[in-house]
Amino acid sequence: MASVSAEDHDGTVVSSLSSNTSPSWVPRQVRQQEETTTTAATTTATEVPQRNTRPTTTPALGMKAVYAQNEDAAEAGAVAAARDGTEAPPLVPLARRPSSGERSSDANSSTVDVPLTRLVTQESTPGAVSMPGIDGSTDDDRHDNLLDEESGTTHLGVSQPASPLERRPEQSPVISPSSVSYATRDDETPIVAELAPSYSFDHQDVEQRLAERLEAQMEERLRREVDLRLSQERRQHAIAQVVQKEAQVHHGGSGSFMAAASVQEEENFKICGIRRTCWGMILCTFLLFIAGGVVGAVLWFARENSRNTEASADASQPTAVPVSPPPTSVPSVLRSENPTASPTRPLIDQRWDFLLAQIGPVVVPPDEDPEEYFADTSTPQYAAMAWMATLDMTTDVFQELNTTLIERYVLTVLFYTTGGPVNWIDSNNFLSAENVCDWNNSTTNKGVFCSSMGPVVTRILIPDNGLQGPIPWELSLLEYVLEIELDGNGFYGTIPTELGALARLESLWLKSNALTGALPAELANATSLSSLDFGDNILDSKLPPQWGSSLDRLFYLKLGPNEIEGTLPVEWKGLSSLSVLDLEGNNLDGNLPAEYGLLTKLSSLYLESNKFQGSLPAEYGGLVNLENFFVYNNLLSGTISTQLSSLTKLENFWFHANDLTGSVNDIFCLIPTVGNFRADCRSEEAGVPPQITCNCCTSCCTRNGTNCINVAA
């Protein structure tokens, strides 16, 4: 293999030829030049050392280029040879790029004689490549590819001078016919020609050698980087020593340097000659002064506002009756907030006096003096008034309407009377700073609710919430309330008669408590009542006949089970709107009033488990809307009137456990809606007829209503 590389005066490669390529594109002049170069290399091969040594010439361009001497270096060599008596090498004229005419002319006429300044022999690997940017300082014993070079090159092929660490021992150039380097002019850019080696290489060998050289070159670069870093550290260390010495000379003594450093560090922590810590203290003091000024201004405005409020209160009550200050002791629920220890005691006094004067005459019982009434500090009434005067400071009592203040007081009394907050399962936002209309739990629908037309309390719904205590009579002061539901709690005592004053009250449910005493006849004054439920208590009075004369809107009345005695008032025939009458489980006796046959809107009549006597009134046949009729477990006797056959809507009729006799087949068995009929239609002994003959009854019992069994209709 033979290859020739020619460069112009600027070092630009003109052509690269290889014997392995097609001869059709190799210029004839270059081939002739190659032959001339080979001949010259052969004639001078005996004048150099062995081929395994490398030249130590100036750096070359390219990774396999070997730099040749320029013309001046050649002349200097000739003078030295003359002095030593040796034969000087011939001067080499500069090679030039063949022109286009020369490439196309005859080979003999275009041959360029390129005498050798220095010839270097290297064996070349077929297909050897140049590796830009990696120097070839690696040493091995074979000149076998383009990676064997004397110094590194940049990735642009520009020669870089070899560092002193990369210089090899001086060796004589090697001349071999395998590879020839021609020198151009004084730009020291070589023209390299590589010839085919005398032995063959395989690709694996080439790849292995390439890898070895790349690894060696990377190690060399790493070593350079480490040396550079170490040199920088040494330089910095030297500078530090110089600075230290100068500081010692300036301040004197070995310890002056540390003192100077301390002074410098202290100077760095100063701003305008003042230490930073002092600046921080100054800033904190300044901020404290500002905060104190703001707090003082707020207190001043609060005091002025209090004075203005007191002045307006005095102006609005020129005839207010003077009262003594409230007692200094407070109930246990307020012990944590003792009014006497508050710095705003004058304001509390004003609030207390104002509340006592404005709502005191209304919230105390008739003929009671407000001052004496609230003198007892152990009552829930005093606790409520004290809370409004001393703790409920977000409420401006001087600006609120009397109705709002009364509602707030009444509900607070309810809270303290029934053991709140200890006994209450859910406080329902009671005693919060909000308006009483928000004292509720919207999720459970419990608490206090107001009308959408105005901020007045209309509903108190607190069932099954653990309330314990008597029902406060103060509830009667809620003149706009429509519904009170306190079922399933622990109320005891009597039902307040004052509730009769609630002219707008429509529903009063107090079932499942422990209430005792009489049914208030005063409820007859609550003419808007439509639903009463006092069941499952221990009420032991008689039925008030007064209800029948005024409660004509009442459609639901449940009074059982209780311990109510006496007879059914005939006056209750005036309850014309009554739809459900439930008196079961009491101690009522006497005959069933025939007048109740006029309650034509009745759909359910529950009279079981009492002591009623006599027969079923035939007038009850007029209850044409009756669907549920329960009279079992009484002392009724006689036969059942055929007039009851008009009860065509009857679905459930239980009349067992009585002394009733006769047949009801022609009375009830023709009713198409018969669903659940129970009677004493079972015989106790064989051959003895039952008390009642009923072919359509679903359950038949023996005498006295025992041993009931279901039978097919």
Side-chain angles (χ1 to χ4, degrees):
M1 169 184 176
S3 63
V4 178
S5 183
E7 300 184 0
D8 59 10
H9 299 297
D10 298 329
T12 305
V13 177
V14 175
S15 62
S16 178
L17 307 178
S18 175
S19 62
N20 293 333
T21 59
S22 175
S24 60
W25 59 275
V26 180
R28 184 181 305 164
Q29 295 85 344
V30 178
R31 290 202 298 272
Q32 292 173 354
Q33 182 180 347
E34 179 181 346
E35 295 173 359
T36 306
T37 305
T38 305
T39 304
T42 304
T43 58
T44 60
T46 61
E47 300 177 7
V48 295
Q50 297 298 322
R51 72 177 184 87
N52 287 335
T53 60
R54 296 188 178 183
T56 57
T57 59
T58 55
L61 176 65
M63 297 184 63
K64 285 299 295 179
V66 180
Y67 286 115
Q69 294 177 347
N70 56 22
E71 294 179 1
D72 297 335
E75 293 176 1
V79 174
R83 184 179 62 248
D84 298 336
T86 60
E87 182 180 356
L91 294 177
V92 182
L94 294 175
R96 60 185 179 87
R97 185 194 305 268
S99 64
S100 59
E102 291 174 341
R103 294 192 190 100
S104 61
S105 63
D106 185 74
N108 295 329
S109 61
S110 60
T111 300
V112 180
D113 296 329
V114 186
L116 295 176
T117 301
R118 181 175 297 173
L119 276 70
V120 180
T121 302
Q122 291 183 344
E123 293 177 324
S124 175
T125 301
V129 295
S130 175
M131 304 298 291
I134 304 179
D135 57 57
S137 61
T138 305
D139 185 19
D140 64 14
D141 296 331
R142 300 181 64 181
H143 306 288
D144 46 9
N145 58 40
L146 293 177
L147 294 177
D148 293 325
E149 63 177 352
E150 198 59 29
S151 60
T153 59
T154 65
H155 68 282
L156 297 176
V158 180
S159 300
Q160 302 293 339
S163 65
L165 296 175
E166 296 175 328
R167 297 186 182 277
R168 309 283 184 177
E170 289 294 332
Q171 296 178 353
S172 301
V174 179
I175 301 175
S176 173
S178 300
S179 178
V180 181
S181 175
Y182 303 96
T184 62
R185 297 190 306 180
D186 55 356
D187 57 1
E188 297 184 356
T189 302
I191 299 176
V192 179
E194 295 185 1
L195 304 181
S198 59
Y199 53 92
S200 62
F201 293 87
D202 55 9
H203 293 289
Q204 209 169 20
D205 186 30
V206 173
E207 292 176 356
Q208 182 177 0
R209 291 182 178 276
L210 283 173
E212 292 174 355
R213 280 150 181 76
L214 288 174
E215 182 178 0
Q217 292 162 7
M218 292 174 65
E219 291 178 357
E220 180 63 24
R221 282 203 170 185
L222 180 60
R223 184 185 63 77
R224 290 182 185 177
E225 184 67 21
V226 171
D227 291 341
L228 179 60
R229 294 291 177 91
L230 291 176
S231 64
Q232 290 178 351
E233 291 180 359
R234 287 194 294 269
R235 180 174 176 272
Q236 293 175 356
H237 182 66
I239 294 173
Q241 289 181 342
V242 171
V243 173
Q244 182 177 2
K245 291 180 180 179
E246 291 180 355
Q248 290 177 353
V249 171
H250 183 270
H251 293 283
S254 59
S256 300
F257 176 73
M258 296 301 297
S262 177
V263 170
Q264 182 63 30
E265 181 179 0
E266 183 176 355
E267 290 297 327
N268 290 337
F269 279 90
K270 289 184 178 181
I271 301 176
C272 297
I274 302 175
R275 293 180 57 85
R276 293 184 183 180
T277 54
C278 295
W279 277 114
M281 296 178 61
I282 294 172
L283 181 61
C284 291
T285 305
F286 181 70
L287 292 177
L288 287 175
F289 274 113
I290 293 178
V294 172
V295 172
V298 171
L299 293 177
W300 184 82
F301 279 110
R303 185 178 63 180
E304 291 299 319
N305 186 33
S306 174
R307 290 178 179 177
N308 294 336
T309 304
E310 294 173 4
S312 61
D314 294 339
S316 61
Q317 303 176 59
T319 59
V321 179
V323 295
S324 60
T328 56
S329 61
V330 294
S332 58
V333 295
L334 297 176
R335 296 242 180 235
S336 60
E337 296 287 346
N338 194 334
T340 58
S342 173
T344 56
R345 180 61 182 171
L347 178 60
I348 292 176
D349 290 344
Q350 290 292 332
R351 290 172 64 91
W352 178 276
D353 296 342
F354 180 82
L355 290 172
L356 206 62
Q358 288 295 111
I359 66 175
V362 179
V363 300
V364 300
D367 301 330
E368 286 277 357
D369 180 66
E371 182 179 350
E372 296 178 358
Y373 186 78
F374 290 106
D376 187 356
T377 60
S378 63
T379 64
Q381 287 76 13
Y382 173 82
M385 185 67 75
W387 178 81
M388 294 182 65
T390 63
L391 301 180
D392 188 25
M393 301 301 291
T394 58
T395 302
D396 188 357
V397 297
F398 305 105
Q399 302 298 327
E400 294 289 350
L401 297 174
N402 280 0
T403 301
T404 302
L405 296 176
I406 292 172
E407 290 178 344
R408 205 170 185 84
Y409 169 80
V410 169
L411 295 173
T412 306
V413 169
L414 173 64
F415 184 76
Y416 284 132
T417 301
T418 57
V422 177
N423 296 333
W424 285 40
I425 298 174
D426 183 358
S427 64
N428 296 310
N429 208 30
F430 265 60
L431 270 61
S432 64
E434 287 80 7
N435 189 281
V436 293
C437 298
D438 296 322
W439 289 10
N440 57 65
N441 187 334
S442 58
T443 303
T444 60
N445 199 32
K446 292 182 180 181
V448 177
F449 300 88
C450 295
S451 171
S452 58
M453 303 299 295
V456 292
V457 177
T458 56
R459 292 187 299 161
I460 302 176
L461 309 177
I462 318 177
D464 305 308
N465 201 50
L467 280 67
Q468 296 181 9
I471 299 176
W473 70 268
E474 284 85 357
L475 292 178
S476 63
L477 301 177
L478 303 175
E479 56 179 329
Y480 295 97
V481 70
L482 303 176
E483 183 177 358
I484 298 176
E485 182 179 348
L486 301 174
D487 299 341
N489 287 290
F491 285 105
Y492 53 81
T494 61
I495 300 175
T497 59
E498 291 84 357
L499 296 181
L502 298 174
R504 296 179 176 85
L505 184 63
E506 298 177 355
S507 178
L508 180 59
W509 285 33
L510 304 174
K511 70 176 181 180
S512 301
N513 282 285
L515 297 172
T516 58
L519 294 170
E522 289 79 2
L523 289 179
N525 298 324
T527 56
S528 297
L529 275 173
S530 59
S531 178
L532 278 177
D533 190 345
F534 297 160
D536 196 15
N537 279 285
I538 319 175
L539 300 172
D540 55 3
S541 67
K542 295 182 179 182
L543 298 176
Q546 294 88 343
W547 291 4
S549 60
S550 58
L551 301 181
D552 54 352
R553 298 182 182 180
L554 192 66
F555 74 89
Y556 182 88
L557 177 58
K558 178 177 172 58
L559 300 177
N562 274 290
E563 297 180 3
I564 300 174
E565 302 175 346
T567 61
L568 295 178
V570 177
E571 291 82 0
W572 281 19
K573 66 180 180 181
L575 303 175
S576 55
S577 298
L578 203 60
S579 176
V580 177
L581 177 60
D582 187 351
L583 300 174
E584 61 99 7
N586 282 287
N587 295 321
L588 296 170
D589 57 11
N591 296 330
L592 297 178
E595 290 81 1
Y596 284 13
L598 300 176
L599 303 175
T600 56
K601 292 184 179 181
L602 272 176
S603 61
S604 298
L605 180 58
Y606 302 98
L607 302 175
E608 70 272 19
S609 301
N610 280 284
K611 300 177 181 179
F612 292 116
Q613 304 169 359
S615 61
L616 284 175
E619 290 80 4
Y620 286 6
L623 304 176
V624 293
N625 291 309
L626 197 62
E627 299 175 359
N628 303 291
F629 190 16
F630 291 82
V631 292
Y632 67 91
N633 198 20
N634 275 287
L635 302 175
L636 298 175
S637 60
T639 61
I640 296 178
S641 173
T642 58
Q643 295 185 21
L644 297 183
S645 61
S646 60
L647 303 179
T648 57
K649 294 183 179 180
L650 199 59
E651 296 180 2
N652 299 288
F653 182 31
W654 288 18
F655 53 102
H656 60 286
N658 281 288
D659 291 330
L660 296 171
T661 60
S663 174
V664 295
N665 291 334
D666 296 335
I667 301 175
F668 300 118
C669 293
L670 300 179
I671 299 175
T673 59
V674 171
N676 188 358
F677 276 30
R678 176 176 289 190
D680 297 331
C681 52
R682 183 182 178 188
S683 177
E684 294 181 357
E685 300 177 3
V688 178
Q691 285 183 238
I692 298 293
T693 301
C694 180
N695 296 333
C696 59
C697 289
T698 56
S699 298
C700 287
C701 307
T702 59
R703 186 179 296 272
N704 297 326
T706 59
N707 301 322
C708 299
I709 59 173
N710 294 330
V711 297

